[in-house]
Amino acid sequence: MRAISLLRSPKIWAFTLIGAVLALVLTAGYLGGSLDTGVPGQRVPIAWANADRGDGGHDFGAALTEQVRTGGQAGAAHWLPVEDEAAARRLLTGGTAYAAVLIPPDFSARIAALGDSPGAPSPVRVTVLTNPIAGPAASGTATGTAQAVLAGMSETLGGKLPVADPLKVTLVPVGPVPPHSAGGMAAFYYTLVLILTGFLLAQVLHSAVDGVLGFAPREFLHKRATHPPFPINRVQTLLAKAALMIGCSIVAATVIEAVAVFALGMPAEHPVGLWLFSMLAVATAGVLPLVLLAVFGSPGALLATVILVVLGVPSSGGAFPPELQPPLFRRLGDVLPMRHTTDATRDLIFPVAADLTGSVLVVAAWLVVSLAAGLAVTAFYDRTGRHRTSVQERGRLLPVPAPEGQYQS
């Protein structure tokens, strides 16, 4: 048969529909999750610490706080009022807030003194704590919002004082960004490596095991080999693939962390914990595609791509924080494993204090539930006679090898 003969068949061109679906899903996933970062309801969390003690009849700090609570600036951000700087720093290091505004204790006294100072009085400093570890998008958006709000407040105060711009905003990082951390994005990129490693390993193991068992041809360069399938049911096949995947995840996680931390210098606040979680993440990202392939056949690979990559990456909160994502992607991120993997790796790479246990439990739940569901469905296929072999193949099955052989039924 010549290629032109194959291309003349209308059926073969039905695959163009798959290309259209892929293009649609990829565009809606990657661009839909990142283009709209300024629609109503998308507000970054910013801590607000008012330590102003007031000055006689003046309490300018309370007036500004009222603006962010219920006044004209209430909708500019998701304001998180706290008692003091220590509480604000806890929110930043825990990932609850991306910036913090600190009103100093002598704020009212210094504002009131501006009207009495001769010459050109110095503006009053207001500190904005930034959190570079949260990533450029989260930290930059929160910092820009805080600066814009304070600039508006400064203009309003300036209308009542002889100083046109009485507030001076000073940006202070809550902590230095460690070297070799991609400007705070190391957790996101490390998560990508974990997910892609597990996903690609699953594709390789699926094809390799099916080739060994006789369910698929084995091809390398110009060589192609086939043999009759072995008498193994769907449940045992999935168990074998999952066990291989878990074994490969131990090796892969070790290599990933060794290269990232020891060869490339990536920081690791908890290296042992990072190693253990990396094994879990790779195993989860590998077992899920194996289950989908066992249940749906070849379309399972496409479904796994959509779950782990197409929808998982945009909703992970790695490039853009969840607060800046459309509602659909915020909800997807709450469910899909990649955001929780990103959160956990950030907790293990950087000195932060977030909900590590919750993230680990979600990723582990994906591993356990997906494998359990896959075993249940494949067991149903086996019980109802839905074999992986055709009638002709079942007539020439390879015999079950001896116990010391390579394969067992």
Side-chain angles (χ1 to χ4, degrees), residues 9-93:
S9 172
K11 294 181 179 180
I12 201 69
W13 290 99
F15 287 103
T16 58
L17 296 176
I18 298 178
V21 172
L22 277 174
L24 172 64
V25 173
L26 284 168
T27 305
Y30 279 89
L31 297 184
S34 59
L35 291 182
D36 295 328
T37 58
V39 299
Q42 293 174 306
R43 300 181 299 166
V44 291
I46 301 176
W48 182 278
N50 176 28
D52 185 21
R53 295 189 295 263
D55 179 56
H58 303 288
D59 196 342
F60 293 104
L64 298 187
T65 301
E66 188 62 25
Q67 289 189 45
V68 300
R69 284 180 181 271
T70 59
Q73 300 296 342
H78 179 204
W79 300 105
L80 303 172
V82 293
E83 294 296 327
D84 51 25
E85 179 179 344
R89 287 180 175 272
R90 285 194 295 271
L91 292 182
L92 289 176
T93 56

Side-chain angles (χ1 to χ4, degrees), residues 235 238-239 242 287-288 291 295 364-380:
V235 169
L238 178 57
L239 283 174
V287 168
L288 177 60
V291 167
V295 172
W366 270 90
L367 173 61
V368 174
V369 173
S370 62
L371 182 56
L375 292 174
V377 174
T378 51
F380 170 76

Side-chain angles (χ1 to χ4, degrees), residues 91-262:
L91 292 182
L92 289 176
T93 56
T96 305
Y98 302 139
V101 177
L102 307 180
I103 305 298
D106 59 348
F107 182 74
S108 290
R110 295 189 61 186
I111 290 291
L114 291 178
D116 302 328
S117 301
S122 300
V124 180
R125 189 180 79 166
V126 176
T127 301
V128 174
L129 293 177
T130 65
N131 186 17
I133 291 177
S139 178
T141 302
T143 302
T145 301
Q147 288 179 299
V149 167
L150 290 171
M153 292 178 171
S154 181
E155 183 179 350
T156 301
L157 284 173
K160 305 173 184 178
L161 299 168
V163 182
D165 193 11
L167 302 184
K168 179 183 179 181
V169 177
T170 302
L171 302 180
V172 178
V174 71
V177 180
H180 310 293
S181 64
M185 294 283 287
F188 174 60
Y189 291 121
Y190 192 88
T191 296
L192 273 179
V193 173
L194 297 178
I195 297 296
L196 290 176
T197 299
F199 175 79
L200 294 175
L201 265 174
Q203 314 304 314
V204 172
L205 289 179
H206 175 73
S207 299
V209 173
D210 278 357
V212 169
L213 294 176
F215 294 108
R218 289 179 289 179
E219 294 184 89
F220 181 73
L221 298 178
H222 63 285
K223 297 180 180 180
R224 183 177 186 272
T226 60
H227 65 74
F230 283 91
I232 182 172
N233 61 26
R234 293 177 181 270
V235 169
Q236 296 301 315
T237 303
L238 178 57
L239 283 174
K241 291 177 180 178
L244 279 171
M245 185 67 239
I246 292 173
C248 288
S249 69
I250 299 174
V251 178
T254 304
V255 172
I256 290 170
E257 183 169 350
V259 173
V261 176
F262 299 108

